[in-house]
Amino acid sequence: MKFAAVSASPSRPLLPLTASGRPITHAKPPPPPASSTAAPAAPAPTGATTLTFTLASTNPSAVPLSQIVANMPSQATVPASTTYAPGTSPTFLPGAPGLPDYSPEVQQWIQDVKNSGVSIPNFAPTTADGSCASNPEAAADQTRCWWTCGGCKADDDIEECPDKMTWGLTYDDGPALHTGDLLHYLDTVNLKATFFAIIAEFRVVEEGHQGCPGCHPCLLRPPYGDVDNRVRAIAKAMGLQTSIWTRLSPTATFDTGDFDINGGLITSEQVLNNWQNIIGNATTIDHGFIVLEHDLFQQTVDIATGYILPDALAHQPPFNIMPMVQCLKKDLKDAYLETNDNATNPIGSANPTGTGGNAEATGTGTGNGSSGASGNGSNSAMGIASPSSLSALAFALVWSAIALVL
């Protein structure tokens, strides 16, 4: 797969993409530079080392949980079968453009935001590590409506699917070496998903778009899920709608914690126990749900294909698993700026910025047990992928990430 990326001027960075001002090119902040002194030993992963429940089903070829650990040996990857050249035309979505020439586009995007008529709040950047504890005033500011700190959401933020027992399947922070393994598995079980994929710059279109190679998606997922009213307003100015994941309370957030397996911060068993808590809540709420998972690491793909997805497919009563665009009852054309006429999918029509309301409700489970450190990368997109290759993905873009959809 190839990306057609745009580079911003190093002397004048683009508008900050997260509420906390974190860097946009990594799902997690990069490690500190190496020093001449010996580094302290890495902490042992936290969480259970045994399952607290019985999985309804597993993949017969699943990698044993005892081997899904930090620094596990790499397995063979599934190569992409097709890449797309600039100028490639869409194959199945009428009216969609081909891949663009990016040379003038970055400055045009900045100008588009200025010309949009959307008022962009001028909040002061958060300080220190961008955490809630380090920024109590910002966290308490209801006009900021900071989702990370308190769960404040705008009326049109996407956190859930409307229909009970419906799972809007998403994966973050790829494409990566083992994304092909995940695609292959999804094909074998006849599932499609939305992928929020990492990109290096603010806005990028994936050349591997199956049917809409030059399209810009309508949904975004900010880095870390870190969004406030300034980020929402910039998104609206660009025709994008904020999409996060389900959060019932501070201890019942639908985050598997899988991102932290690779770093040795959490055990695979604890990730599956988190998953059990998620589906325990999912079966009792009166709407559908969106879960934070990743295709960035081999460990996250192994957990998804070997355990989480087989368990979900065997669940009774059954889950209705689908890409986010379908979970929201939208037509595929509504997923892209070029083909969305705003009649059936108006962006920001409900409430472009949050009003300080709290998105939290009482969860019925015990929470997800995550360390709370899981980063999700930023993303935005929807689409459907045809089976058997990375080119079958419908990628969508976001701030510092693209969203792909199978």
Side-chain angles (χ1 to χ4, degrees):
M1 288 187 321
K2 293 171 60 181
F3 289 94
V6 181
S7 297
S9 168
S11 61
R12 186 181 179 186
L14 294 169
L15 294 169
L17 300 182
T18 69
S20 61
R22 289 167 171 162
I24 65 172
T25 56
H26 299 276
K28 293 270 192 164
S35 66
S36 57
T37 59
T46 60
T49 56
T50 59
L51 298 183
T52 59
F53 69 104
T54 300
L55 290 157
S57 179
T58 61
N59 186 335
S61 60
V63 175
L65 288 177
S66 60
Q67 297 178 22
I68 305 177
V69 295
N71 302 316
M72 65 185 293
S74 180
Q75 302 167 13
T77 59
V78 177
S81 61
T82 307
T83 58
Y84 292 92
T88 300
S89 298
T91 56
F92 79 102
L93 196 61
L99 286 172
D101 172 9
Y102 281 101
S103 55
E105 285 204 342
V106 171
Q107 292 303 318
Q108 184 60 52
W109 291 330
I110 295 173
Q111 192 61 45
D112 288 346
V113 171
K114 294 178 180 179
N115 296 341
S116 68
V118 176
S119 177
I120 311 297
N122 188 26
F123 298 130
T126 53
T127 59
D129 58 1
S131 68
C132 306
S134 298
N135 296 273
E137 292 185 5
D141 184 358
Q142 295 299 294
T143 65
R144 184 183 289 259
C145 193
W146 191 1
W147 186 82
T148 304
C149 301
C152 180
K153 67 183 292 287
D155 292 343
D156 59 350
D157 284 354
I158 297 170
E159 281 190 338
E160 61 197 41
C161 305
D163 291 343
K164 184 178 175 65
M165 297 297 290
T166 298
W167 180 7
L169 186 61
T170 68
Y171 294 95
D172 283 27
D173 293 357
L177 292 175
H178 295 278
T179 300
D181 300 322
L182 178 56
L183 297 179
H184 177 73
Y185 178 81
L186 292 173
D187 181 33
T188 62
V189 295
N190 197 29
L191 288 180
K192 294 176 170 57
T194 297
F195 284 73
F196 290 107
I198 288 292
I199 58 177
E201 300 299 340
F202 184 47
R203 232 178 137 170
V204 172
V205 177
E206 164 59 34
E207 291 186 14
H209 247 308
Q210 178 210 1
C212 194
C215 292
H216 297 76
C218 291
L219 294 184
L220 78 85
R221 179 170 287 169
Y224 310 93
D226 195 17
V227 62
D228 63 8
N229 281 344
R230 181 173 183 272
V231 173
R232 292 183 181 99
I234 296 172
K236 182 189 177 187
M238 300 189 73
L240 301 172
Q241 192 163 4
T242 301
S243 169
I244 319 176
W245 53 91
T246 303
R247 172 176 177 154
L248 303 180
S249 77
T251 57
T253 300
F254 284 30
D255 176 359
T256 62
D258 64 342
F259 185 96
D260 286 330
I261 302 174
N262 183 71
L265 300 178
I266 193 172
T267 63
S268 297
E269 290 85 357
Q270 184 59 53
V271 168
L272 291 180
N273 289 337
N274 294 345
W275 162 248
Q276 175 65 11
N277 290 332
I278 288 170
I279 62 174
N281 279 315
T283 56
T284 60
I285 55 179
D286 61 0
H287 53 76
F289 58 98
I290 299 167
V291 178
L292 179 60
E293 295 182 86
H294 300 80
D295 62 313
L296 178 57
F297 301 116
Q298 179 178 322
Q299 295 94 328
T300 59
V301 170
D302 287 343
I303 281 282
T305 60
Y307 300 92
I308 291 178
L309 287 170
D311 184 61
L313 289 167
H315 188 273
Q316 294 298 326
F319 292 118
N320 195 10
I321 306 172
M322 61 186 67
M324 187 181 291
V325 65
Q326 294 178 333
C327 134
L328 298 173
K329 301 183 177 180
K330 302 293 186 181
D331 190 277
L332 180 59
K333 68 180 180 62
D334 291 336
Y336 302 104
L337 297 177
E338 289 80 2
T339 55
N340 172 30
D341 61 9
N342 267 331
T344 58
N345 186 39
I347 301 299
S349 59
N351 182 12
T353 57
T355 56
N358 195 302
E360 297 170 1
T362 301
T364 57
T366 58
N368 70 348
S370 171
S371 65
S374 292
N376 69 300
S378 59
N379 338 124
S380 88
M382 302 192 212
I384 345 185
S386 66
S388 50
S389 81
L390 292 176
S391 63
L393 298 177
F395 283 87
L397 66 99
V398 312
W399 311 22
S400 96
I402 313 188
L404 326 73
V405 181
L406 286 143

